[in-house]
Amino acid sequence: MYSSRWTLILLLLVSIPAGLSQGNTEQQQTVPAGQQGQNPGEDGKYVPPIKVTFVMETGEDLLQMIDQLPGESLEDNRWTQLYEEELGIQIHYDWIARGDVYNQKLGVSLAAGRFPDVVKVNPYQLRQLSNAGLIEDLTEVYQTQASPLTKKILEAEGRGAFDAATIDGRLMAIPESSSAIETAQYLWIRSDWLEKMDLLPPETMEDVLQISKAFTEGDPDGNGEQDTYGLAMTSYLWDPVMGVSGFMAGYGAHPNIWIKDKEGNLAYGGIQPEVRKALKVLQTLYLEGQLDPEFAYKNGSKEYRLIQDGKIGMLYGEQWTPFMLQTTRDTDPNAEWQAYPLVAESGRGILVPLRSNTGQYFAVKKGFAHPEVVVKLMNLHLDKNWGEQAEYETYYNDDSRAVWMLSPVTPFPGMKNMDAYRDIRDARKRGDFSSLENEALAIHKRIVAYESEGLKSGWGWKQTYGSLGAFSIADAYDRNGQLLYDEYTGGITETMVDRQLILRDLQLEAYMNIILGSPIEEFDQFVNDWYKLGGEEITSEVNAWFRVNVARNHPASAS
């Protein structure tokens, strides 16, 4: 079914990297006027200031926040002013665009070889730019310019993120590394509906299915109509909120990570037989009307309207989910959501899959006179938020406003959220919160304001960091050894450059077709096509990396 279509697309895609290498190389070698040989002073500040160009992706959240910050704009704000005042770096944006438009414009500019001085790219784009010779080698820049705090934070989970950015032995970009535990999934349930329908929280996947059926057929909103759905899903099955990875984990299926097979080799989770069973169950939910019949055509914001309207009872999502769910309480003040741990089918233990959470890298245009600026910006960003003299509530989270997004670089300690939860938890046990500072203190104050004054925005903080919040579950995942790390952290292999995006689209289409009613045997055809269209070569490359790197840089591999 797929072979002819996907083979044709594959042949078309293979030509893209070659075209990229024919970009305007001469333009990339040009040093901006007035910046040739200009070095920072002893205090690290450029005098006179230098201009550094970026591009920016915006979204509804960022634009709404700007409206709440009088005197600040995307181009001129507390972060751009700080970078100029302390570093002599003037931030300029070649262009600013939203979502899909941003991705399209960036793809075109990269393919043409015309992009800003510093550009945030994904692993595929990084490999293509490096192969084309369009970006600077940042090996020495990182070694000599990164502060001890920056190195500590970016390398906190080992060298995996740096290995992925290292091509032919040279560091070609600075990873905006994060923590894999941030990708842990939880089951969020309308707990007021559970109580109303006299249901207990789920302990197995069989319980989850029973709750879904009750939420669909039992009129939990009390309007006398069967117009509610048990589980929310979106057209992109791997969305961090309203995706299906948490659901599939309940059947031992881990479709987006590399796992160890019985022989100790690495195998792609998306082609394993456990996925087949999980898809069959999702198909049953869809055919029985327990899923929004139009979910396959809705992105997260469109599907969320059903949640906001009180028509959804459960969803899988990451720790920040309650900040999205917050507005449901404006529509229905009685709406109450609670995080629960993932559960497995009877007889199976649960493992919570964690993706490698470094997907963005900062590359510097070949020929730019000051490739060190990207590290200098990161140094200051981290120091202002987590250094000894941090101003967290000015530069990171200002009265629940995520002002960190105003910066063109946004690194952060991967474990900061878990650390904040544990600090608050320990202070709660002692009954003494005087030792809390920075992020933990700011979060604690918002939870207290919610509990004592009814501060609306505090609800989300409590659902995330409270004694029964998402991070209390993540803490238990960790203690119980239930976290399943992606076994492959080696970055993009040569075959992945040309084939991986094709294979991911192939996987998503096959899964979606099955959920919507296609015969389950279509999964077997997908597995065959996956191998034929590059999966076999990728598996070989991944295992070649694994044999060399199995002993380092991965918490799961050492066990």
Side-chain angles (χ1 to χ4, degrees):
M1 180 177 293
Y2 300 105
S3 297
S4 60
R5 173 189 173 192
W6 288 103
T7 302
L8 174 60
I9 295 176
L10 178 59
L11 291 173
L12 292 173
L13 188 65
V14 166
S15 66
I16 292 178
L20 179 63
S21 67
Q22 298 172 10
N24 191 340
T25 305
E26 181 179 353
Q27 180 188 15
Q28 304 308 316
Q29 299 289 348
T30 302
V31 177
Q35 296 188 20
Q36 294 91 339
Q38 187 170 324
N39 295 313
E42 292 184 3
D43 61 354
K45 182 176 181 178
Y46 297 96
V47 180
I50 63 170
K51 172 184 174 182
V52 183
T53 59
F54 289 80
V55 294
M56 174 183 276
E57 179 181 7
T58 64
E60 196 64 34
D61 291 344
L62 181 55
L63 295 175
Q64 288 179 358
M65 181 178 68
I66 281 291
D67 290 340
Q68 300 171 16
L69 299 172
E72 297 188 68
S73 67
L74 296 178
E75 299 88 350
D76 183 13
N77 54 68
R78 66 192 70 189
W79 275 109
T80 60
Q81 292 163 14
L82 179 71
Y83 290 139
E84 182 167 3
E85 290 168 3
E86 297 205 12
L87 297 177
I89 296 175
Q90 296 176 339
I91 304 297
H92 292 262
Y93 293 102
D94 287 348
W95 48 265
I96 297 172
R98 292 195 189 197
D100 291 341
V101 175
Y102 170 87
N103 292 326
Q104 292 167 5
K105 291 189 69 171
L106 180 61
V108 170
S109 67
L110 294 178
R114 298 185 180 92
F115 49 91
D117 301 326
V118 181
V119 61
K120 186 160 63 173
V121 295
N122 64 35
Y124 309 98
Q125 294 163 338
L126 172 60
R127 172 69 72 161
Q128 291 175 342
L129 290 176
S130 179
N131 289 350
L134 297 180
I135 54 178
E136 288 285 342
D137 177 352
L138 301 180
T139 308
E140 301 302 322
V141 164
Y142 180 74
Q143 291 175 351
T144 61
Q145 298 293 326
S147 69
L149 178 63
T150 295
K151 289 181 178 179
K152 177 182 177 182
I153 288 173
L154 295 188
E155 300 176 31
E157 283 203 349
R159 293 284 304 182
F162 286 85
D163 288 347
T166 300
I167 300 172
D168 297 329
R170 308 304 294 174
L171 184 66
M172 300 307 297
I174 307 298
E176 195 167 63
S177 56
S178 183
S179 172
I181 201 169
E182 290 293 309
T183 70
Q185 288 278 311
Y186 312 89
L187 178 56
W188 298 86
I189 305 180
R190 280 285 300 262
S191 54
D192 58 314
W193 285 10
L194 281 180
E195 183 176 350
K196 180 178 180 179
M197 306 195 74
D198 198 25
L199 295 169
L200 296 175
E203 296 184 358
T204 65
M205 284 303 296
E206 289 83 355
D207 295 338
V208 171
L209 300 182
Q210 179 186 0
I211 293 170
S212 175
K213 187 176 181 67
F215 283 177
T216 302
E217 300 176 357
D219 190 27
D221 60 353
N223 68 352
E225 300 178 17
Q226 189 171 321
D227 58 354
T228 53
Y229 305 101
L231 184 67
M233 286 171 51
T234 73
S235 59
Y236 185 60
L237 298 178
W238 318 128
D239 268 337
V241 174
M242 295 182 282
V244 300
S245 60
F247 182 94
M248 288 190 164
Y251 296 93
H254 308 293
N256 285 317
I257 63 174
W258 289 82
I259 58 178
K260 286 183 181 178
D261 62 19
K262 295 178 180 178
E263 288 73 39
N265 298 315
L266 297 194
Y268 183 54
I271 59 173
Q272 304 308 310
E274 289 83 1
V275 175
R276 197 180 196 272
K277 180 172 184 179
L279 289 172
K280 185 64 177 177
V281 177
L282 286 169
Q283 182 186 80
T284 299
L285 294 182
Y286 177 78
L287 296 178
E288 290 183 354
Q290 297 182 42
L291 307 178
D292 170 17
E294 299 179 347
F295 86 89
Y297 309 100
K298 292 181 177 179
N299 59 21
S301 61
K302 292 180 179 177
E303 183 71 7
Y304 176 65
R305 292 170 191 166
L306 282 177
I307 298 175
Q308 195 169 22
D309 291 341
K311 302 303 179 184
I312 298 288
M314 291 188 293
L315 61 112
Y316 287 86
E318 294 180 359
Q319 52 88 6
W320 52 271
T321 299
F323 297 101
M324 183 200 74
L325 297 174
Q326 186 90 39
T327 57
T328 64
R329 294 166 56 79
D330 297 333
T331 307
D332 180 3
N334 295 317
E336 192 62 58
W337 293 86
Q338 181 62 50
Y340 297 95
L342 299 191
V343 296
E345 61 181 335
S346 296
R348 181 189 294 275
I350 188 67
L351 288 175
V352 181
L354 302 180
R355 304 186 315 275
S356 173
N357 205 22
T358 300
Q360 301 292 335
Y361 303 82
F362 285 99
V364 177
K365 181 173 64 176
K366 188 75 172 180
F368 181 58
H370 299 285
E372 72 279 359
V373 295
V374 63
V375 176
K376 286 179 171 291
L377 293 170
M378 284 191 172
N379 287 343
L380 184 55
H381 190 275
L382 291 170
D383 185 59
K384 278 295 180 182
N385 290 319
W386 292 282
E388 292 183 1
Q389 303 298 321
E391 299 177 64
Y392 175 85
E393 292 187 81
T394 297
Y395 289 104
Y396 195 83
N397 196 296
D398 181 353
D399 192 24
S400 292
R401 293 187 289 257
V403 292
W404 59 268
M405 292 194 296
L406 298 173
S407 171
V409 299
T410 56
F412 63 91
M415 291 294 289
K416 74 178 188 67
N417 292 324
M418 180 60 80
D419 290 342
Y421 161 74
R422 287 171 173 163
D423 288 346
I424 296 170
R425 175 202 63 191
D426 293 345
R428 187 184 300 115
K429 289 179 180 178
R430 294 191 305 267
D432 179 6
F433 297 91
S434 61
S435 63
L436 296 180
E437 58 184 8
N438 296 329
E439 186 162 25
L441 177 60
I443 293 169
H444 169 65
K445 289 193 295 186
R446 290 173 189 135
I447 294 175
V448 169
Y450 168 71
E451 294 177 333
S452 62
E453 306 168 18
L455 178 70
K456 284 187 176 182
S457 64
W459 181 85
W461 295 99
K462 182 177 181 180
Q463 295 302 315
T464 304
Y465 294 91
S467 58
L468 299 177
F471 278 112
S472 70
I473 298 172
D475 197 32
Y477 287 160
D478 190 26
R479 291 195 314 273
N480 297 333
Q482 294 173 317
L483 297 175
L484 180 65
Y485 289 84
D486 191 339
E487 291 286 352
Y488 180 67
T489 60
I492 301 303
T493 70
E494 287 298 330
T495 305
M496 286 181 187
V497 173
D498 297 334
R499 314 290 180 89
Q500 184 79 331
L501 295 179
I502 288 291
L503 293 178
R504 287 186 178 180
D505 286 347
L506 174 72
Q507 179 180 356
L508 180 61
E509 182 175 328
Y511 285 16
M512 187 65 79
N513 285 345
I514 292 169
I515 293 171
L516 297 181
S518 292
I520 192 62
E521 288 74 21
E522 195 162 304
F523 178 78
D524 307 320
Q525 181 63 48
F526 153 69
V527 173
N528 290 333
D529 291 343
W530 187 88
Y531 277 115
K532 290 178 182 178
L533 290 176
E536 185 171 359
E537 292 91 335
I538 290 173
T539 301
S540 178
E541 292 168 345
V542 165
N543 277 284
W545 169 89
F546 184 60
R547 286 190 290 272
V548 173
N549 294 276
V550 65
R552 67 184 184 94
N553 293 338
H554 201 298
S557 298
S559 61

